[in-house]
Amino acid sequence: MKERTLTIIKPECVAEKHIGNIIQRIEKAGFEIIGMKMVRLKKKDAERFYLVHKERPFYSELVEYMTSGKVVAMVLEKENCVEDFRQFIGATDPQQAEAGTIRKDFGQSIQFNCVHASDSNENAAIESAFFFSTRELIECE
Ligand code: CMP
């Protein structure tokens, strides 16, 4: 069954002009982009998006980082999309990520890890709705 996930190309990755490379890899790996936009998150938006991490020591740094520049948000569709995309990008810490993954190739540290991905179907729906209205998403077959 087709699933969707939400991914974000993070500020340092956008600033380093890796958007094109990353999108090409995502498409070649068989993920269909059904929504895409570039935004600069405001502090209150980043705080809300990462509310689940509010009690973590890195929360304020994370909010500062995610508001430091433009990001590209995308909704992707594929069979087993959530799990496959997490495999495809690699571990949160780029040093632990497998060779050939996006985070291994473009990530700098556990914080500056170049992309975000939803960790469940439930969160994918919540995170997708954070960035996109229903009419902004392409209906695939
Ligand atoms: P992401 O997949 O977007 O989910 C939460 C983010 O918090 C994570 O990627 C990193 O950018 C950041 N993060 C996770 N762990 C740490 C950590 N130990 N120190 C700093 N930032 C972290």
Side-chain angles (χ1 to χ4, degrees), residues 21-60:
N21 279 337
I22 289 179
I23 289 178
Q24 188 172 45
R25 284 169 66 153
I26 287 172
E27 289 187 306
K28 280 194 172 163
F31 297 92
E32 183 84 23
I33 300 168
I34 62 164
M36 176 160 60
K37 62 172 68 166
M38 178 181 274
V39 294
R40 175 89 187 252
L41 291 173
K42 300 220 181 314
K43 185 171 181 238
K44 67 173 170 35
D45 297 325
E47 284 173 346
R48 188 158 63 89
F49 186 82
Y50 280 117
L51 203 58
V52 64
H53 295 303
K54 193 172 174 35
E55 303 307 325
R56 309 288 282 275
F58 56 82
Y59 180 67
S60 59

Side-chain angles (χ1 to χ4, degrees), residues 10 50 53 58 61-62 65 92 103 110-111 113 115-117:
K10 295 185 174 186
Y50 280 117
H53 295 303
F58 56 82
E61 260 179 47
L62 176 59
Y65 159 46
T92 303
R103 282 177 169 157
I110 195 164
Q111 181 177 46
N113 62 355
V115 287
H116 167 82

Side-chain angles (χ1 to χ4, degrees), residues 2-118:
K2 290 221 168 155
E3 293 177 355
R4 292 176 177 184
T5 199
L6 184 281
T7 186
I8 306 172
I9 304 179
K10 295 185 174 186
E12 85 284 14
C13 212
V14 172
E16 287 163 15
K17 308 204 183 300
H18 291 315
I19 299 172
N21 279 337
I22 289 179
I23 289 178
Q24 188 172 45
R25 284 169 66 153
I26 287 172
E27 289 187 306
K28 280 194 172 163
F31 297 92
E32 183 84 23
I33 300 168
I34 62 164
M36 176 160 60
K37 62 172 68 166
M38 178 181 274
V39 294
R40 175 89 187 252
L41 291 173
K42 300 220 181 314
K43 185 171 181 238
K44 67 173 170 35
D45 297 325
E47 284 173 346
R48 188 158 63 89
F49 186 82
Y50 280 117
L51 203 58
V52 64
H53 295 303
K54 193 172 174 35
E55 303 307 325
R56 309 288 282 275
F58 56 82
Y59 180 67
S60 59
E61 260 179 47
L62 176 59
V63 168
E64 195 181 325
Y65 159 46
M66 290 301 290
T67 56
S68 67
K70 294 174 289 189
V71 299
V72 176
M74 288 180 276
V75 174
L76 308 177
E77 192 170 85
K78 184 183 169 299
E79 304 275 329
N80 202 40
C81 194
V82 171
E83 181 54 31
D84 283 2
F85 193 70
R86 287 175 71 78
Q87 291 281 334
F88 172 72
I89 65 172
T92 303
D93 182 351
Q95 287 196 339
Q96 311 292 328
E98 281 185 38
T101 61
I102 300 257
R103 282 177 169 157
K104 186 69 172 183
D105 294 343
F106 299 102
Q108 298 169 7
S109 68
I110 195 164
Q111 181 177 46
F112 299 116
N113 62 355
C114 74
V115 287
H116 167 82
S118 307

